[in-house]
Amino acid sequence: MLRAFSNQIRIVIEKFLPNAFIFAILLTFITLILGMFFTDSSLLDMTEHWYGGFWNFLAFTTQMILILITGYALVKAPPVEKLMIRVASIPKTQKSALISTILVAAAAGYLSWGLGFVLGALFAIEVAKRVPKADFRILIAAAYTSVIAILPASITLTAPLLVNTPDHSLEETIGLIPLTETIFSPTMLLAAGLGLLIVIFAYLKMMPKQENVIPFNSEENGEMTKTENRTPHSFAEKMNNSKIINYALVAFGVLWLIMYIVQNGFNLELNILNFAFIILGLALHGSPSSYINAITDGMPSASGILLQFPFYGGIMGMMAGSGLISIIAQSLVSISNEVTFPLLSFLSAAIVNIFVPSAGGQWQVQGPIMIEAIQSYNLHPSVVVNTVSMGDTITNLLQPFFALPALGLARLELKDIWGYCLVTMILLLIANSIIVTVIPLIF
């Protein structure tokens, strides 16, 4: 049943779904029209909001590009690549290839969503190379989907970390909320655990029949052009390949990481994760030259991020500047009661995320609205944190914003994986709707 349903969606998508950049452009004009229709903003106002937000993602864009190419370089370091190839060589069938890809991507996603997106895609590629019976598109989709499914319990989930940080923007209202009330709560653990089981079930049911399998194609999906390391002869080449310079820098970086962990604990925010990737990558490559070559090889996969993220920044600017986020959130909250509030909070976050695919940005705008609304009910503020976080993650399977790294690494288009993602999103949406409604009533 799921296979037939996903096949029908895939056929429709291949005919009508444009590439991810066109998706961002269409979403821009949809937001523009909605802002002019539902708010007091004029065309000129919306234009100012658009450009005002256009560059707001610059820092995040750089962080995502770095996590993509430094993650690529890390995985391509000889020791890591050998280990990944060894593990990727274990599956022999399409079924075992899917399960292993899902579990590896989910494990990485639990530690860090950025690591999950990169490592999951690269592992799926290595598995696809070795299992020609496995469909390459479904492996990439499964890797991406499993990271989304595990995110409610990920130790790098944005909103729970923000409200557990001293001096956060809502501390005077809700205080500090410990992680035991958010990512380690029954709601989030059940959502992540059940979500992962749903992903495994759905993808095994959606596996294409053998005659319909599209395997990995070395010409279309193969490795980026590798830059060869030259044997050092001149003084300059010896400097480029100097292990002394390389490991002196690694030691300096490790010193900072130790200082950071001592002071802040194991808090893998994006800047620290990128820094750790760089230092660990340098250590595993053994020389500056080898590491530079790996970074160069990975750069082409970041082109989609570089172009499209500013447009999503513009969409977010229009959503926040015009007040559309507030209208969506308040309209759903206005029809809620103590029992339905968690569900409507979850659904409102899922809708807003389509237009504002940035967890931190969405929480800063939507969080205060939902926290204010919850004051009328006998519900803990953690309910808002959890439901908004879950809603924010679920529609990432509809919104291609975070799929761009996986698509760039795999050299695929959005239409190649979107059908699989959409089917799984529907199943996860149903399961999570039940969880956020029932669990607050029990605990």
Side-chain angles (χ1 to χ4, degrees), residues 42-255:
S42 65
L43 175 61
L44 296 180
D45 293 331
M46 292 298 290
T47 303
E48 287 187 1
H49 296 325
W50 178 61
Y51 186 79
F54 200 84
W55 304 115
N56 283 349
F57 275 169
L58 272 183
F60 184 62
T61 300
T62 304
Q63 287 173 325
M64 287 301 294
I65 290 174
L66 279 172
I67 205 169
L68 179 60
I69 61 174
T70 58
Y72 175 88
L74 175 60
V75 173
K76 288 302 177 181
V80 179
E81 189 169 31
K82 287 179 182 177
L83 176 61
M84 187 170 68
I85 288 173
R86 184 177 302 175
V87 177
S89 301
I90 296 174
K92 303 301 180 185
T93 64
Q94 182 170 223
K95 182 177 180 180
S96 59
L98 266 174
I99 293 174
S100 62
T101 297
I102 289 169
L103 293 179
V104 168
Y110 174 78
L111 295 175
S112 164
W113 54 267
L115 179 62
F117 291 149
V118 175
L119 180 59
L122 289 173
F123 183 77
I125 292 170
E126 293 300 331
V127 170
K129 290 178 184 177
R130 289 157 181 79
V131 187
K133 295 180 180 180
D135 189 281
F136 180 49
R137 303 164 303 171
I138 199 173
L139 287 178
I140 295 296
Y144 175 65
T145 307
S146 61
V147 177
I148 300 299
I150 205 69
L151 276 184
S154 172
I155 59 177
T156 56
L157 193 61
T158 303
L161 294 179
L162 284 176
V163 298
N164 191 41
T165 303
D167 300 321
H168 69 84
S169 59
L170 294 173
E171 184 175 3
E172 291 186 5
T173 306
I174 62 175
L176 295 178
I177 300 179
L179 296 181
T180 53
E181 299 289 334
T182 53
I183 61 176
F184 298 130
S185 68
T187 300
M188 303 297 256
L189 291 175
L190 181 59
L194 181 60
L196 188 58
L197 291 177
I198 288 174
V199 168
I200 294 174
F201 168 80
Y203 275 91
L204 291 182
K205 292 297 183 180
M206 290 190 294
M207 280 193 310
K209 294 181 179 179
Q210 202 55 53
E211 61 268 24
N212 298 323
V213 163
I214 297 181
F216 176 87
N217 186 313
S218 57
E219 293 184 2
E220 295 180 5
N221 315 117
E223 300 286 343
M224 293 75 178
T225 303
K226 288 188 172 292
T227 307
E228 298 293 333
N229 291 320
R230 297 178 57 185
T231 303
H233 295 294
S234 67
F235 174 77
E237 289 173 335
K238 289 179 179 179
M239 291 285 286
N240 292 340
N241 291 275
S242 171
K243 294 184 181 296
I244 296 175
I245 293 176
N246 189 75
Y247 288 114
L249 181 59
V250 168
F252 193 41
V254 169
L255 176 61

Side-chain angles (χ1 to χ4, degrees), residues 364-396:
Q364 295 297 346
V365 178
Q366 188 175 2
I369 299 170
M370 309 309 285
I371 291 295
E372 181 180 351
I374 206 174
Q375 306 301 319
S376 306
Y377 307 126
N378 185 29
L379 294 171
H380 192 274
S382 62
V383 171
V384 169
V385 179
N386 294 341
T387 53
V388 170
S389 295
M390 290 170 64
D392 170 71
T393 62
I394 195 75
T395 42
N396 284 330

